[in-house]
Amino acid sequence: MATVIDNTFTTTTGKAPVPPQRPKAAGGPAGVMLPWLRAQAINVTRHAAALRPFKEDEFGSGAEAPTAGHIQAVNKLITGLRSGLLEMSGKVSKATTATVEAPSTERLQDLMRKKAHAHQWVRAIEKIWDFYFELFGLRQTRYAKWLLSCDRIGLDCYRASYLGLAVARSIPAPPPFSYMATGFSPATFRRGIPLKRLGKQLNPFPLIQLPYHRMVNPWTLGAVLHEISHNLQNDLGLSRDIPRTVGLRLLRAGASRQVARTWVRWNREMFADMSGVLLGGPCFVGSLMDILARGPETVVYYSSRGPHPTPYLRMLINTELLRRLGFESESRQYGKAWKRIYPSPSSGNIPPALVKSFAEICPIAVDAMCFQPYRSLGNRSLAKVLNFGGKEQQMIEEASRRLAAGVDPGIVPERFLVGAVRMALDRRLARPEVLAKNFYKALASG
């Protein structure tokens, strides 16, 4: 029996018990050091192993899931980077073994250098792995069908472009891949260019970034046609020929070098608009007007370095193409509406030489870009490759009525449904929420 005396325990024999002993740290500091050293090699090796290639069915098996081609392209990128990381992790493991055997300061510091180098690689590869993990993961959310719809529009744009060529070209693969990024404007990252978010690694396929507010309102998805067209300019071999042709034509027409240089600087954004019109028709211009119509100070603001035409002039460049395609009524109506909102460009800082020469230069630039033959197109013009006229517009009109009624729009090309839903909205053929639902149903079914 134990009793308490002066806050201590004694036994009935009067002898104090031996207090429990704390476990000693094995070997003092070495008891901490050795397990910690071994953990460093384990951490690096396990991290490298975790940055594995993706499985083909990892993000679903439906039509909205990333295709096998997309998965394979990303895995090729990850595997190539990961092999270097695995080699580094092996060096860390060997250095750890040597350091455990003889933990000198020199060996410890050498191990820390190897560990730091491997960790830098881990972080770089993890950034890339995480980017595609999130990108592909969106295909398992409620927005997967929306993204599939945009994929199919982009694929149709490519098919139309390559079928319209007069000469065979190598077929690019994989096709464009759409993803949603809230808080951003529509954008694209072209195939084969180094991306900052990928650590300057080459992007394996075109990425089409779309904000949520565009996808909620599918009649604004002319943005898909525009962004796809940036990729087409590259894949069709027009990235150099277009600016060269536009610049030479303008100089021959008597434009000043300053004016010609400005139009050449605008060539990529202008091409994306021109191609967008040829892919989607007059309704593309309505979608573009949604974006360009801002406060007057913004619309008439000229940037001496910006790649986009000044918004005031950009809208009128597109109405000029509509006129050339034979849609004179639509061209006139859009132009009239635009100039009613913005009656004069003189309130901004657009160089007077650009404004004064615009009426003469704009038709020449549009002609050079869209109606002149290019060797990479088989000596066809862009307007011939992406042939859009009254027949195509009639298909869009019929599809607009079917979308509004909620019936199958038929064999209409996917890219035409952007114009169809726009036309149905403008003509108030059905409520906006009905049109949006029917639009995505038509594109994502099957």
Side-chain angles (χ1 to χ4, degrees):
M1 179 178 179
T3 57
V4 178
I5 302 176
D6 297 330
N7 296 324
T8 62
F9 282 95
T10 65
T11 64
T12 52
T13 61
K15 296 181 179 179
V18 178
Q21 297 293 317
R22 277 186 168 185
K24 294 182 179 180
V32 173
M33 178 70 78
L34 295 182
W36 182 83
L37 288 174
R38 296 187 188 101
Q40 305 316 296
I42 293 171
N43 292 344
V44 172
T45 301
R46 285 178 57 81
H47 205 161
L51 298 175
R52 52 169 179 76
F54 297 119
K55 299 176 182 178
E56 288 194 2
D57 61 350
E58 185 168 350
F59 302 98
S61 56
E64 66 275 12
T67 68
H70 290 116
I71 296 288
Q72 290 165 9
V74 171
N75 283 347
K76 182 179 179 181
L77 173 62
I78 291 174
T79 301
L81 295 171
R82 188 169 173 261
S83 62
L85 177 57
L86 291 173
E87 183 180 346
M88 287 184 191
S89 67
K91 292 179 180 179
V92 172
S93 295
K94 289 181 180 178
T96 300
T97 301
T99 304
V100 167
E101 292 175 354
S104 66
T105 299
E106 181 180 357
R107 286 190 173 185
L108 285 165
Q109 291 184 352
D110 178 65
L111 173 59
M112 294 305 102
R113 290 189 187 96
K114 287 183 170 63
K115 171 196 167 186
H117 191 200
H119 185 61
Q120 288 175 348
W121 268 68
V122 164
R123 292 182 64 186
I125 299 173
E126 186 175 38
K127 183 178 180 182
I128 296 170
W129 192 89
D130 186 62
F131 173 74
Y132 286 110
F133 182 77
E134 291 189 7
L135 204 71
F136 291 160
L138 284 171
R139 298 310 176 99
Q140 295 180 302
T141 69
R142 59 181 295 189
Y143 307 109
K145 298 290 187 182
W146 291 9
L147 294 168
L148 171 62
S149 300
C150 295
D151 285 351
R152 288 178 168 172
I153 293 170
L155 180 58
D156 182 51
C157 291
Y158 261 82
R159 285 174 176 162
S161 303
Y162 276 74
L163 287 172
L165 297 175
V167 61
R169 293 187 64 90
S170 178
I171 302 169
F177 190 86
S178 304
Y179 72 101
M180 187 170 67
T182 58
F184 294 91
S185 298
T188 188
F189 302 98
R190 301 191 304 277
R191 186 195 322 272
I193 64 169
L195 292 187
K196 184 177 181 181
R197 63 180 63 189
L198 297 182
K200 298 297 183 179
Q201 297 297 317
L202 299 184
N203 182 36
F205 45 81
L207 294 171
I208 308 299
Q209 174 182 285
L210 297 166
Y212 178 65
H213 67 268
R214 293 292 186 93
M215 302 188 74
V216 168
N217 301 312
W219 40 86
T220 68
L221 286 179
V224 176
L225 309 185
H226 176 97
E227 302 303 341
I228 287 292
S229 295
H230 278 305
N231 293 280
L232 286 173
Q233 185 174 2
N234 271 44
D235 285 344
L236 292 176
L238 295 171
S239 58
R240 293 184 179 180
D241 290 346
I242 287 285
R244 183 187 301 117
T245 300
V246 170
L248 288 175
R249 283 288 305 277
L250 295 185
L251 289 173
R252 289 171 185 166
S256 68
R257 289 191 174 275
Q258 179 186 3
V259 168
R261 277 197 298 266
T262 299
W263 282 86
V264 168
R265 189 178 76 244
W266 290 344
N267 90 89
R268 291 200 65 87
E269 293 299 334
M270 179 179 166
F271 178 89
D273 284 350
M274 300 292 94
S275 175
V277 173
L278 293 168
L279 287 165
C283 288
F284 172 85
V285 180
S287 182
L288 181 65
M289 189 171 171
D290 292 341
I291 310 311
L292 297 181
R294 302 290 179 87
E297 298 80 10
T298 301
V299 170
V300 295
Y301 175 76
Y302 170 80
S303 170
S304 61
R305 296 184 179 181
H308 295 82
T310 301
Y312 178 85
L313 302 177
R314 183 178 173 184
M315 183 66 186
L316 300 178
I317 294 170
N318 283 268
T319 61
E320 170 60 21
L321 178 55
L322 286 183
R323 186 191 68 80
R324 282 294 304 270
L325 292 174
F327 297 101
E328 294 187 6
S329 176
E330 290 86 344
S331 172
R332 187 168 50 253
Q333 289 180 48
Y334 277 122
K336 184 178 179 180
W338 187 249
K339 290 182 177 179
R340 184 174 181 182
I341 304 172
Y342 311 104
S344 172
S346 60
S347 60
N349 66 331
I350 308 174
L354 273 179
V355 176
K356 186 177 180 180
S357 63
F358 182 80
E360 178 185 357
I361 294 300
C362 177
I364 298 171
V366 170
D367 181 82
M369 188 172 286
C370 301
F371 297 94
Q372 297 304 309
Y374 286 92
R375 182 164 41 178
S376 63
L377 304 181
N379 290 320
R380 283 185 176 176
S381 68
L382 186 66
K384 184 69 174 176
V385 171
L386 301 175
N387 187 33
F388 193 98
K391 169 173 61 70
E392 287 72 26
Q393 183 68 354
Q394 191 171 348
M395 293 176 70
I396 289 176
E397 290 182 6
E398 185 174 1
S400 72
R401 295 190 292 271
R402 294 186 181 185
L403 276 182
V407 299
D408 184 355
I411 61 167
V412 61
E414 288 89 344
R415 67 187 187 278
F416 287 178
L417 290 181
V418 177
V421 74
R422 178 89 200 188
M423 185 175 291
L425 177 79
D426 290 348
R427 295 181 177 180
R428 305 177 73 179
L429 300 182
R431 298 191 309 277
E433 58 272 20
V434 172
L435 294 175
K437 178 182 177 182
N438 293 346
F439 173 83
Y440 287 118
K441 181 180 178 181
L443 281 165
S445 61

